[in-house]
Amino acid sequence: MDDYNTVLIPDETELEIKKSRFINLVFHIEAEEEAEAILAEIRKKHYKATHVCWAYVLKTNPRRQKASDDGEPSGTAGKPILEVIDHRELKDVLVVVIRYFGGIKLGTGGLIRAYGGGASDVLNHCRVVKKQFSDRLQVVLSYTSYGGVSSGLLERDVIPVNEDFGEKVTLSFEIPVADTNGFLAWVEDKTNGTARIIRGEQAFVDVALS
């Protein structure tokens, strides 16, 4: 399964363009039903808004995506929002741009820039994380081996997610699936084959992006 980037925490920004107010929102979703529920709440809260335009992309195979101009000229709102999501290679993300009309028409090009700009603004402001498909591993080793392994992990820039010091040392890791074989070969070499490996379930784990 492929790694992907997403947004986990909802965020909001606001822009004013030629007296129109644009409220830009982003949400993490994992199903179309979640998007519909969020949009229903937004429409209820912003019932006086002129347009509630949106787009989302889900990490399905094949992936599902959808967009809405909500009454703006075709292709001037939902599509620009979707293109911003695609350009940033985000999945499981819903972006909503709400417009309160200010009395000045923006024209086709102006609308495309406004809705795409609103999507970019909120995605620039929010925290994006990488969902990394990983092997969950436990390495059980002797205290004699621990020192060498610990210093080697620092050199490899690998940090255990947990360390347990009992009769033996148990180190827990979340290793990208593509790196697992190389990592386990390194552990075997470092411990002269004495370490015991316990494999957990593979899963997507959150990795902060700088």
Side-chain angles (χ1 to χ4, degrees):
M1 299 180 75
D2 295 332
D3 299 345
Y4 66 98
N5 294 342
T6 191
V7 172
L8 297 181
I9 301 171
D11 210 336
E12 177 177 338
T13 63
E14 187 169 326
L15 298 170
E16 184 176 316
I17 302 172
K18 293 186 177 180
K19 297 187 178 181
S20 278
R21 180 186 175 202
F22 290 87
I23 302 170
N24 317 300
L25 308 168
V26 62
F27 302 90
H28 178 80
I29 59 168
E30 295 182 3
E32 291 177 290
E33 293 78 13
E34 289 181 55
E36 290 166 3
I38 291 169
L39 289 166
E41 285 298 315
I42 290 171
R43 291 190 189 100
K44 186 186 298 183
K45 180 179 179 181
H46 293 276
Y47 65 93
K48 292 186 178 180
T50 317
H51 305 280
V52 177
C53 304
W54 52 269
Y56 66 73
V57 175
L58 294 173
K59 72 165 198 316
T60 51
N61 188 18
R63 76 173 196 166
R64 289 202 302 277
Q65 64 182 45
K66 206 167 184 179
S68 171
D69 297 313
D70 191 37
E72 293 282 30
S74 179
T76 63
K79 184 179 178 182
I81 297 169
L82 183 61
E83 287 176 347
V84 171
I85 298 171
D86 281 342
H87 179 71
R88 297 178 186 230
E89 299 181 339
L90 299 173
K91 296 179 181 177
D92 283 358
V93 164
L94 165 68
V95 176
V96 184
V97 180
I98 304 161
R99 183 187 185 190
Y100 284 85
F101 183 55
I104 299 175
K105 293 184 177 181
L106 301 182
T108 299
L111 288 171
I112 292 170
R113 288 190 294 274
Y115 282 100
S120 293
D121 191 61
V122 73
L123 291 176
N124 286 338
H125 188 264
C126 72
R127 180 171 177 264
V128 176
V129 300
K130 179 180 181 180
K131 285 283 191 176
Q132 179 177 275
F133 195 56
S134 302
D135 279 307
R136 286 178 167 159
L137 308 170
Q138 287 186 323
V139 177
V140 183
L141 66 162
S142 66
Y143 281 88
T144 305
S145 300
Y146 173 70
V149 169
S150 182
S151 60
L153 289 172
L154 290 174
E155 293 172 6
R156 294 173 67 94
D157 197 27
V158 176
I159 301 172
V161 295
N162 189 57
E163 295 182 313
D164 182 69
F165 297 93
E167 186 176 333
K168 290 192 171 185
V169 181
T170 302
L171 306 178
S172 299
F173 298 94
E174 292 170 342
I175 304 295
V177 169
D179 298 342
T180 297
N181 289 340
F183 175 72
L184 293 179
W186 175 82
V187 169
E188 184 174 3
D189 179 66
K190 267 296 191 186
T191 63
N192 295 317
T194 61
R196 182 164 65 95
I197 307 299
I198 302 171
R199 287 180 176 264
E201 292 185 0
Q202 293 180 326
F204 282 105
V205 299
D206 300 341
V207 179
L209 295 177
S210 55

